[in-house]
Structure formats: C-alpha cells, structure tokens
C-alpha cells in the first residue's frame, strides 16, 4: 500500500481524538457516534430520535459546533429549532427585498440559511409542518434551491436532525413523511431513555455531582474533514462486493417484509429504493475509510466482503448493541420505548441472517454469474448464425450480449466468453453482408433483416473490444443498404407487370416499402461515426427511391382502379363510398412515402363523383325548387364526405341541373283557369274556398327566391368572378312562370273585391249602428278580411312581386305594374273596412 500523506495521517488522528473525547463524555452512545462519523465522511445526513433528556441536542451541537474553519477558527454551522410557526425562509434564507422591489422576482439570500453552511443542526424537526419538512428534505437531498428558472447551489454537506418523538408517533401522524425521511436520509438512530449498564449511570452522576460539564478540547477542522472525504471518493468497490451490496439489500428487504406480515404495526426503518441502494454504496465507502482511521491504517482503500457488516448502520435503525438492547428490554417500562427497542432487536437479527446468507452466496459468485449469463449458449448461437442467418434470432442475441457486456460481468473471467460470442456474431453479419441482396434466395430481406443489422452495429459500437472493427462493419453495411434501397425501388416498379393486382394489395405494398425505407434511414443513422461519407449518400439515394416508388405505385393504382370500374356494376353512391375508403388508404400510404404526392384520390374519384351526381340530380323528383335545393345539398355533403371536389363535379353537372329547372319552369307555366267569382260566392265564402283550393295548391310562390338561393349555393363552383352558376335563361323561365301565377291571383282578387264592395251598402249610407253591424257581419262571412288580414295574403304577394320586380326588362316592369294593382286592392279594402268599422263604433 502506498504511504498516506502526512496531512491525511494528521487528519485521521484528529478525527479519532475528536470522537474519542466525545465517547468518553457521552456514555453508551457508540452507535450514534458511528453513524455521525459515517455521515461526516460520506457527506450525508442523520436523524436522531428518542425521549427527552438523552443528550441528543447536546451531542449534535458538540459535534457540529466544534468542527471549525482553519482560516476563521469558527464553525460553518446553521442551527434552528423548528416549531409549528417555522416557515421556509427561516431555513433557506430571507427574501432579497432589493431584487424583489427592483425586478419583481423572488430570490432568497441562501447564504444566510442552511445552504450557506457546511453543517446544519435542526432541533425538534418533527415539530415543523409536513409541507415544510418535505420541501426541506428535497433541498437537503439535492443540495440546491430551485425557485422558478433559478437554481442556487448550496454548501451543505451534513445535517443532523433531532426529535423527542418516537418513530411510532411520527408514523401514526404521517406515514408518508416518515418514508420520505427514510428514503433521503442515510442514517437514523434511536437513543434510549436509560443506560444499559449501571456503571454508566454512576459515572454520569459522579461527573455532574460537582456541576462539571464535559471538558471537550479536541480540535477538528473543515479542511481535515475534507481530506478524509476525498479519501472516500477514492475507495474502490470490486464487482463482487458491489454484488454483495445488491444481494444484501434484496435479502434484507425480503426479510423485513416477512416481519411486516407477522407484526402489523411494524414498518421498516429503511425505504428500499434505487436511491437507497446507491446511498448504501457510498456508506460502504465511508465505512472503509473509517476502518482505516480506527483499525487498520495500512489497509488499501478497497472494499471487501467483510466491510458489508458496516452497512447495518445504514440499512437499520441505529440503537444499542445487541447485549445492551436485551438488558434495556428487561427493565423498560414505557411501551413506546419497548416498541422502539423491539424494532432495533428485530432489524439487527434480520440483518445478521441476511449478511450470513449473502456471504455464503458470494462464495460461488463466479460460477453463479457464469450460469446466469449462459455464455456457452451465446457462443453456440452466434456461431450457428454464421451458417444460417436468422434475423429475429440475431436481434435477440445481439441485444442480450449488449446487455450482458455493458457494463459487463462483475467477474472478469466471465467476460471473455461473451466477447467471443459477440465477435462471432459480428463475423456472421460480415458474411451475410458479403452475400448482398441475393444470398441464399433471401431476396430483399425486409424489416427483420435490417433490424438485425442495426442490433449488431449497436453491439459493435457499445462493446470496447469490438470497436476496432466498427468502421469496417459500417462500410459493409452502407454498401448493403445501397443495394437494398435499389431493390425496394425495383420491387415497386415491378407491379406494372403483375396482372390482377388490386388496390388493397398496393396499400399493403406501399406500407411495407415505406417501413423498409424508414428502416434503411434509421440504420444509416448508425453509420455516422463509422462511415460518415456514406450517410449523406444513402440519404440522397433514399429520397430518389421514394420518388420512384411513389411514381410506380401511383401509375399502377390508376390502371387497377380503372379496371375495377370497368368490371363493377354498383349503385353510384355505394361505389363512391367504397372506392373513397380504398383510395384514402392508398393515398395515405403514398403520402407517408412522399408527402408531396397528394391528389391521387381526387383524381380517380372525380369521374365516380360526377357519375353519382348526374344520376342523383337527374332522377330526384321534386315539385318545388326548394326540394331540389335540398337534394343538391345532400349530393354536395356526400361528395365532401368522400373527399371529392364539389365545385368540379357541379361544374360538370351544370347542364343537368339547368335542364331539370327549365322543365320545372315549363310545368309551372301551364294555364291555370281563373273565372271571375259568381255573385253569391263573393258573399258566402265560396270565393275564398276557390282561391285557396285552386291557387294555393298550385301556385309556385317563392320559386324565384328558392332558385336564387340554389344559385348562391352553387355559385362557388364557378369562381368568385363569375356572375352566378345558373344562366339568365333559367332565372327568366322560373320568374315568368311565377309572375303568371301572381297575375292570375291578383286578377281574381280584384274581381272578388269589386263585386264584394258593390254588393255591400256604401259606408256613407249606414246611418244606423245596426246597419253597420250587419254590413260588418256580411263582410266577415265573405272571408276576404281573413285572407287579407289574418292570413296576410296581400303582404305575401307584395313580397313575391318585389323580388320579381328586381328582374330586368319587361318581366320586372310587369311585376311592378302588378304590385301597383295589388296596392290598389289593399287600399280599397282598407278604406272600406275602416269606414264601416267607424260607423259601427259611432255612438
């Protein structure tokens, strides 16, 4: 062993003397001092619990308060007693009000808190609120404060926390909080109320009988502690000892879990997590340095299996040694004290049993690891793959070897067979790559083949012994990929010569080729280190191949689709829907190959959409243009749902739509008889019945408005600059038909009203109120007031004529003349009815 520097030897001597003096002053606290030593050496934290009057706070102050800085002679210590009122700023430091007022940001003066000191003492820690303790635990574990985007690093190395509460009390109050402490703190110690040995109490009474306090004069500096901490970082933990740490943690966790099932109130002190196993490794390193300081100054800084025994102070609740625990249990009265001592005894026994088992298991570690790695089987599998390349088996073998070789076996003798298997697998890949694309009839190979190559490349790159051949393997893989990409293109171009190929088959082929091309790109990415020049070449080739594949598949899709149209005889909408789904899948697959390749679906579906629209628009029966407009809307919605361009379809169907509308206008223009009402019919309501029966049932009211609405619906099909979708001739035909009906109705209404007013006495002749009432009664029985007022027939006709009046030429002029006639009817009726009603209301 290399001789230690004199400064290190002096630091070790000062460390021994410092804690030796403490052990003489505070009796039966050996476990606590051992854990404090390990915590200082490993830069970890300690929690000390136990009833009041057991010198917990005095010991924490005596340790941390006397480790001084050589430059100042003062300790780097932050002390705080926690209470319900303690807030976060009491521990991490006050808010910097200057920064807050100048910038609005909240920052803390952490140098004034516990992060600003190497050591901290938090007394009565469980008196603080749970949320405060959880936040402080995170600060202590990470040694930094995160607030917003700012992260402030701290100087904290070791924090000692004390509490007068038993762990059972903490567990009853907040089990999650106790688990948080157990996971983040390396050492927890229970200090019992009484002494196990009578002489210890006698010595304490003798010491204090004259009022004497412990005379502590030994000096220990921060710089000396730093030297010893640096030694901890240099401790080597051999692989078999590291295995022992893992086995001990697993075995102890299982053993304590068994105790939980037996004792429902028991909760293990240590929370076994990945974090705790890592901390155990550093506790072991600190134990090695402590052993060198106290027992074997000449021992090397390398952990042995014997050092695993020191992990009892990390994994277990620290307490009196076994003999002292038994003595205390015989005299203890407090049930809480007894429960805590029972836990100490239980965990110590479980640790001893687990450690004995681990030591026994480590004796056959080499053979057990070799058996677990199955090295001979890996070699046999790799050699067989050289004779018969099986992609799936290659991938699983390569991944298995990589997992076993990185970071590698704990025992060096178990690495050589695994490396041999890895070399054999790389050699097998080189042979397969040399065969190229036509080896043993394997053809293009597909996804599995390319994936297997990638797995072997990752193995070659990850295992140091294989690195020298990595560049050669990358070059060979690059040459293979160039051939694979060409084969992919040829595979797509060969579909032109395959008879009976359906669209569904093209979709599957496109998906497979895209996956293979993507796999070549992914595999090419692994060549960046070993064959960087080939990487760009492969990427350019991949882009060109994608264009070739899409062009070939698109060309074949057009041919296959047209063939299916010639063979199929289906209902147009059903055909459109079915083919839309098929083409959507194909277009999505082609777009995955080349995102610029769009429009195939619209290109092929447009003829089907036109055929469907022609059939629907030419055969849908209707009596009103409004009904035809709903049919047009339904066709448009179906086309949009299937992804067909509506505007292009309607443009092609314009003549069909106009033909149906012209035919409708001709039907509307048929002669409607309008004989003048008979004398009696104008008074008894028969004229009203005739008007509603003949005109209302046959009149095309609102047809021009419906036509204009349909035109607006279809106008986008002709573009923004176009005046409208429908021709002026169609508009004029519908307008003429509607105008002729309105003219017939106005003529009838004028005749009816004229005869009615002639048959009734003039208002000025109604001198008696009774005569006026009889006249009103006859007027009501004619039902003309109901038609004009209640049903609003005159108003509705004026609205129709107003729209017709906006038409150009003679048509609009005729509508405006009719509107004047209608207004005359309204005025004559209104004047007569007002005068009669006034006569009836006169006194």
């Amino acid at each position: 062993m290399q001789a230690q520097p004199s400064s290190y030897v002096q630091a070790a001597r000062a460390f021994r003397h410092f804690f030796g003096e403490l052990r003489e002053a505070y009796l039966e606290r050996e476990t606590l001092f051992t854990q404090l030593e390990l915590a200082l050496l490993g830069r970890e934290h300690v929690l000390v619990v136990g009833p009041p009057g057991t010198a917990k706070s005095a010991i924490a102050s005596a340790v941390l308060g006397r480790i001084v800085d050589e430059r100042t002679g003062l300790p780097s210590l932050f002390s705080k007693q926690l209470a319900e009122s303690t807030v976060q700023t009491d521990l991490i430091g006050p808010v910097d009000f200057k920064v807050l007022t100048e910038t609005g940001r909240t920052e803390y003066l952490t140098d004034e808190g516990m992060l600003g000191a190497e050591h901290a003492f938090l007394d009565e820690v469980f008196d603080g609120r749970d949320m405060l303790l959880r936040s402080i635990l995170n600060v202590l574990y990470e040694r930094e404060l995160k607030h917003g985007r700012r992260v402030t690093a701290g100087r904290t190395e070791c924090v000692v926390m004390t509490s007068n509460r038993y762990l059972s009390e903490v567990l009853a109050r907040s089990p999650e909080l106790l688990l948080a402490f157990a996971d983040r703190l390396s050492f927890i110690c229970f200090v019992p109320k009484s002494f196990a040995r009578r002489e210890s109490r006698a010595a304490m009474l003798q010491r204090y009988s004259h009022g004497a306090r412990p005379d502590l004069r030994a000096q220990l500096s921060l710089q000396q502690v730093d030297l010893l901490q640096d030694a901890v970082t240099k401790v080597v933990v051999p692989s078999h000892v590291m295995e022992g740490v893992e086995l001990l943690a697993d075995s102890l966790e299982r053993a304590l879990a068994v105790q939980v099932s037996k004792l429902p109130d028991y909760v293990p002190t240590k929370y076994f997590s990945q974090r705790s196993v890592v901390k155990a490794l550093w506790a072991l390193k600190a134990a090695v340095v402590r052993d060198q300081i106290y027992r074997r100054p000449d021992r090397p800084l390398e952990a042995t299996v014997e050092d695993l025994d020191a992990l009892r102070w990390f994994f277990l609740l620290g307490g009196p040694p076994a003999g002292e625990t038994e003595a205390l249990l015989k005299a203890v009265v407090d049930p809480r004290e007894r429960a805590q001592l029972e836990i100490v005894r239980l965990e110590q026994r479980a640790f001893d049993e687990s450690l004995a088992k681990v030591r026994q298991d480590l004796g056959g570690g080499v053979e057990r690891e070799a058996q677990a790695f199955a090295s001979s089987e890996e070699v046999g599998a790799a050699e067989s793959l050289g004779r018969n390349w099986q992609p799936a088996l290659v991938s699983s073998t390569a991944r298995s070897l990589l997992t076993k070789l990185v970071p590698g076996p704990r025992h060096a003798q178990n690495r050589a067979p695994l490396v041999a298997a890895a070399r054999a697998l790389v050699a097998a890949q080189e042979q397969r790559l040399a065969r190229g694309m036509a080896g043993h009839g394997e053809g293009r190979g597909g996804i599995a083949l390319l994936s297997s190559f990638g797995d072997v490349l990752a193995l070659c790159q990850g295992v140091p012994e294989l690195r020298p051949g990595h560049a050669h393997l990358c070059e060979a893989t690059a040459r293979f990929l160039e051939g694979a990409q060409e084969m992919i293109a040829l595979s797509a171009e060969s579909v032109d010569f395959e008879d009976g190929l359906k669209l569904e088959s093209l979709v599957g082929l496109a998906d497979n080729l895209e996956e293979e091309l993507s796999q070549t790109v992914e595999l090419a990415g692994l060549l960046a280190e070993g064959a960087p020049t080939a990487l760009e070449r492969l990427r350019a080739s991949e882009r060109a191949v994608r264009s070739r594949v899409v062009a070939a598949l698109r060309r074949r899709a057009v041919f296959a689709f047209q063939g299916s149209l010639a063979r199929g005889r289906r209902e147009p909408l059903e055909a459109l829907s079915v083919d839309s789904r098929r083409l959507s899948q194909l277009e999505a697959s082609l777009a995955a190959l080349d995102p610029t390749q769009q429009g195939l679906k619209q290109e092929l579906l447009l003829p089907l959409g036109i055929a469907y629209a022609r059939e629907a628009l030419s055969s849908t029966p209707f009596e009103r243009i409004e009904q035809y407009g709903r049919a047009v809307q339904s066709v448009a919605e179906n086309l949009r749902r299937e992804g067909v361009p509506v505007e292009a379809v309607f443009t092609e169907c314009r003549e069909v739509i106009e033909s149906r509308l012209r035919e409708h206008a001709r039907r509307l223009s048929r002669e409607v008889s309008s004989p003048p009402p008979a004398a009696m019919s104008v008074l008894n309501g028969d004229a009203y019945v005739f008007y509603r029966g003949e005109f209302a049932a046959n009149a095309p009211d609102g047809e021009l408005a419906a036509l204009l609405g349909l035109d607006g619906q279809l106008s986008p099909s002709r573009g923004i600059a176009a005046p409208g979708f429908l021709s002026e001739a169609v508009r004029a035909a519908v307008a003429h038909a509607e105008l002729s009906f309105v003219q017939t109705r106005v003529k009838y209404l004028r005749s009816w009203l004229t005869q009615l007013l002639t048959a009734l006495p003039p208002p000025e002749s109604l001198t008696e109120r009774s005569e006026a009432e009889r006249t009103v009664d006859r007027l009501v029985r004619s039902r003309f007031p109901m038609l004009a007022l209640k049903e609003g027939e005159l108003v509705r006709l004026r609205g129709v004529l107003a729209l017709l009046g906006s038409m150009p030429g003679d048509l609009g002029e005729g509508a405006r003349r009719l509107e004047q006639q209608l207004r005359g009817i309204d005025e004559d009726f209104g004047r007569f009815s007002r005068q009669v009603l006034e006569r009836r209301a006169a006194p």
Side-chain angles (χ1 to χ4, degrees):
M1 172 185 171
Q2 185 177 0
Q4 296 284 3
S6 59
S7 57
Y8 178 84
V9 174
Q10 292 174 2
R13 185 183 302 117
F15 192 86
R16 284 196 309 273
H17 184 50
F18 182 84
F19 279 98
E21 189 179 64
L22 287 167
R23 284 180 171 86
E24 291 178 3
Y26 297 97
L27 305 176
E28 294 192 23
R29 298 293 180 260
E30 178 59 35
T31 297
L32 174 57
F33 286 122
T34 300
Q35 289 180 307
L36 287 170
E37 290 168 339
L38 293 174
L40 282 171
L41 293 172
R43 296 185 174 95
E44 289 296 340
H45 311 310
V46 185
L47 170 64
V48 189
V49 297
T54 51
K56 300 183 298 297
S57 300
I59 291 175
S61 298
V63 173
L64 300 181
R66 296 190 309 116
I67 302 177
V68 299
D69 189 331
E70 291 178 354
R71 296 165 296 185
T72 64
L74 299 174
S76 178
L77 177 64
F78 173 88
S79 298
K80 182 69 178 179
Q81 180 171 340
L82 274 63
E84 180 70 22
S85 59
T86 305
V87 295
Q88 189 179 29
T89 52
D90 293 333
L91 299 179
I92 65 174
V95 174
D96 190 333
F97 284 103
K98 181 180 180 182
V99 173
L100 181 63
T101 54
E102 292 178 355
T103 68
R105 297 195 311 270
T106 301
E107 295 184 7
Y108 299 90
L109 300 173
T110 53
D111 284 347
E112 299 181 21
M114 61 184 179
L115 286 175
E118 271 83 1
H119 303 139
F121 171 37
L122 304 180
D123 198 12
E124 296 302 336
V125 65
F126 289 125
D127 286 355
R129 288 172 293 175
D130 287 0
M131 289 301 297
L132 172 69
L133 299 182
R134 285 190 174 91
S135 64
I136 295 306
L137 276 176
N138 289 330
V139 170
L140 294 180
Y141 175 70
E142 297 170 355
R143 268 82 170 188
E144 63 186 18
L145 175 65
K146 297 176 182 176
H147 44 108
R149 297 182 179 180
R150 186 180 179 87
V151 178
T152 303
R155 297 161 52 194
T156 309
E157 292 184 354
C158 177
V159 177
V160 177
M161 288 163 275
T162 62
S163 175
N164 286 335
R165 302 188 185 190
Y166 290 91
L167 290 181
S168 57
E169 295 178 75
V170 182
L171 179 65
R173 167 191 163 189
S174 179
E176 296 83 3
L177 181 63
L178 182 58
L179 287 178
F181 267 85
D183 191 35
R184 288 171 174 80
L185 303 183
S186 291
F187 305 99
I188 303 178
C189 188
F190 166 66
V191 180
K193 181 188 301 184
S194 304
F195 289 122
R197 300 188 299 272
R198 294 178 62 86
E199 58 269 24
S200 297
R201 177 183 293 181
M204 180 190 69
L205 292 175
Q206 180 65 31
R207 178 181 301 164
Y208 284 97
S209 62
H210 303 291
R213 298 180 62 82
D215 184 16
L216 302 176
R217 301 183 180 183
Q219 291 290 321
L220 184 63
S221 70
L222 289 172
Q223 289 74 16
Q224 289 172 327
V225 174
D226 288 341
L227 285 175
L228 301 178
Q229 290 171 341
D230 289 342
V232 172
T233 64
K234 299 174 184 177
V235 173
V236 176
V237 181
S239 57
H240 68 284
V241 178
M242 200 174 300
E243 180 184 14
V245 174
E246 295 183 37
L247 293 174
L248 181 59
D250 293 342
S251 177
L252 185 59
E253 182 179 16
R254 287 193 297 270
L256 295 180
V258 170
Q259 298 301 325
V260 171
S261 64
K262 294 179 180 178
L263 304 173
D265 294 335
Y266 168 64
V267 175
T269 307
K270 180 62 65 176
Y271 177 71
F272 289 85
S273 66
Q274 297 302 320
R275 174 160 47 197
S276 65
V277 175
V278 172
K279 283 182 171 291
L281 184 63
W282 282 91
L284 180 66
K285 291 186 175 188
V288 171
V289 173
R290 181 179 180 276
D291 183 67
Q292 188 187 66
I293 292 172
Y294 279 100
R295 293 177 58 243
R296 294 182 290 167
D298 57 345
R299 70 163 292 172
L301 292 178
E302 180 174 331
T304 65
V305 174
E306 288 70 26
D307 293 314
L308 294 176
D309 184 73
L311 289 180
R312 71 175 62 246
W313 312 127
F314 172 82
F315 280 122
L316 309 181
L317 172 64
E324 294 182 4
T325 300
E326 295 297 337
L328 290 168
L329 281 170
K330 292 178 181 179
V332 68
V333 176
D334 191 326
R336 297 173 300 171
E337 184 93 357
R338 172 173 291 279
Q340 206 73 80
L341 289 169
E342 290 282 6
I343 291 175
V344 171
R345 181 171 64 176
L346 179 153
E347 290 189 349
Q348 289 288 353
R349 288 177 178 176
F351 183 88
D352 291 338
E353 293 172 1
S354 296
L355 181 60
K357 184 176 182 301
V358 167
R359 285 174 171 169
Q360 181 180 359
D361 291 343
L362 288 177
V366 176
E367 294 77 11
R368 187 177 61 256
E369 184 183 61
Q371 185 177 5
F373 279 143
S375 304
S376 59
E377 296 177 13
E378 297 282 14
V379 172
E383 291 176 349
S384 68
L385 290 170
R387 298 185 295 271
N388 180 21
W389 186 269
Q390 301 176 50
L393 183 57
V394 169
S395 290
S396 62
T397 303
R399 293 169 186 168
S400 173
L401 286 171
L402 184 60
T403 301
K404 294 174 181 179
L405 285 167
V406 179
R410 290 189 173 90
H411 305 282
Q413 54 267 53
N414 288 331
R415 185 176 181 84
L418 294 173
V419 172
R423 292 187 191 279
L425 191 59
V426 171
Q429 174 153 320
E430 291 174 343
Q431 295 173 22
R432 177 61 189 88
L433 291 171
R435 294 201 300 269
M437 301 307 302
H440 296 292
E442 292 167 304
R444 201 171 66 252
I447 303 297
L449 180 66
L450 297 174
S451 297
S452 67
F453 291 163
D455 290 328
V456 176
L457 276 171
L459 174 66
C460 188
Q461 186 176 19
V463 177
E465 292 90 337
L466 305 181
R467 294 284 295 173
H470 182 244
H472 175 74
L473 187 63
C474 287
E475 291 289 348
T477 305
R479 290 191 295 271
F480 183 92
L481 287 178
E482 290 175 345
Q485 290 178 348
E486 180 63 22
M487 285 290 288
I488 291 172
L490 294 176
S491 177
E493 292 168 348
S494 70
V495 299
D496 282 330
F497 305 96
E498 296 184 28
D499 294 332
L501 195 64
K502 297 181 179 180
L503 284 178
E504 291 78 4
S505 301
L506 288 176
V507 171
L509 179 59
D511 290 342
N512 289 338
L513 295 182
E514 195 284 326
E515 191 174 0
E516 287 184 42
L517 277 171
S518 297
Q519 189 71 28
T520 65
V521 174
E522 183 178 340
L523 186 53
L526 299 176
L527 309 179
E529 181 180 347
T533 57
L535 180 58
E536 283 304 316
R537 188 171 69 250
L538 284 169
R539 287 177 175 172
S541 171
E542 179 254 347
R543 290 191 291 269
V545 167
R546 285 184 180 273
S547 298
R548 289 172 60 186
V549 169
V550 171
L553 295 182
R554 186 169 183 142
R555 184 171 59 248
R556 180 58 186 178
V558 173
F559 181 78
F561 186 74
Q562 292 171 345
S564 67
L565 292 181
R567 295 188 298 271
R569 291 288 183 182
R570 294 173 294 177
E571 190 271 329
L573 181 57
E574 178 190 357
L576 180 65
S577 179
V578 171
D579 289 331
S580 173
R581 289 192 296 271
R582 297 162 65 205
L583 290 172
S584 293
Q585 295 171 350
L586 179 58
E587 186 168 72
S589 298
L590 294 180
L593 279 162
D594 185 355
T596 64
Q597 294 294 327
Q598 301 286 349
L600 175 66
K601 176 182 174 181
Q602 289 191 2
E603 174 188 333
L604 297 182
L605 277 187
L606 185 58
L608 273 181
I610 293 172
Y612 154 66
R614 282 185 187 278
E615 195 277 337
L617 296 174
S618 62
S619 62
T620 299
F622 67 97
E623 295 181 357
R624 304 295 297 271
I625 292 178
E626 182 182 359
Q627 296 171 343
Y628 194 60
R630 288 195 292 268
V632 170
Q633 180 64 29
S634 176
V635 169
E637 290 173 356
N638 289 335
L639 292 172
R640 289 192 185 94
R641 184 177 62 249
E642 304 304 339
V644 181
V646 176
E647 293 79 7
V649 171
F650 281 159
T651 299
E652 292 294 325
C653 296
R654 182 169 178 264
E655 183 55 38
V656 173
I657 296 172
E658 290 203 340
S659 175
R660 295 296 307 279
L661 293 172
R662 285 194 296 267
E663 179 185 350
H664 177 66
R666 283 193 296 272
R667 289 199 307 271
L668 294 179
S669 299
R670 69 186 183 277
E671 190 70 26
V672 178
S673 62
S674 177
M680 288 303 296
S681 66
V682 299
L683 291 172
N684 62 11
D686 288 345
Y688 174 84
V689 173
F690 178 83
Y691 184 88
R692 280 296 178 216
E694 291 297 323
F695 295 123
N698 299 313
D701 292 346
E703 289 298 88
L704 179 59
L707 181 74
L708 295 178
L710 176 60
D711 194 31
Q713 177 183 335
L714 295 169
S715 291
S717 305
R718 304 195 62 197
I720 298 175
F725 183 85
L726 300 173
S727 66
E728 289 295 333
V730 171
R731 298 187 196 183
V734 173
H736 275 295
E738 187 166 6
L739 183 62
S740 65
F741 263 88
V742 175
Q743 185 175 12
T744 301
R745 298 169 80 171
V746 170
K747 179 181 177 181
Y748 184 87
L749 289 171
R750 168 47 72 187
S751 176
W752 180 11
L753 180 61
T754 300
Q755 292 187 63
L756 179 62
L757 297 183
T758 302
L760 296 174
E764 60 271 15
S765 67
L766 303 174
T767 58
E768 296 294 334
R769 182 173 182 177
S770 59
E771 294 176 345
E773 287 180 351
R774 284 193 297 271
T775 301
V776 171
D777 182 61
R778 295 173 68 188
L779 185 61
V780 170
R781 276 187 281 126
S782 74
R783 303 179 76 174
F784 192 93
M786 184 174 71
L787 180 71
L789 300 177
K790 188 174 183 179
E791 296 178 3
E793 181 70 5
L794 301 181
V795 175
R796 194 166 56 81
L797 288 176
R798 280 205 303 270
V800 173
L801 288 171
L803 181 60
L804 289 168
S806 65
M807 297 294 291
D810 294 341
L811 195 152
E813 182 63 31
R816 289 189 288 274
R817 285 197 301 270
L818 273 179
E819 189 176 5
Q820 289 295 330
Q821 296 178 31
L822 191 64
R823 185 175 290 109
I825 295 172
D826 190 17
E827 290 174 354
D828 289 349
F829 170 71
R831 183 170 51 253
F832 180 85
S833 61
R834 283 194 304 274
Q835 290 176 358
V836 172
L837 292 173
E838 288 172 358
R839 295 285 178 172
R840 189 182 69 170

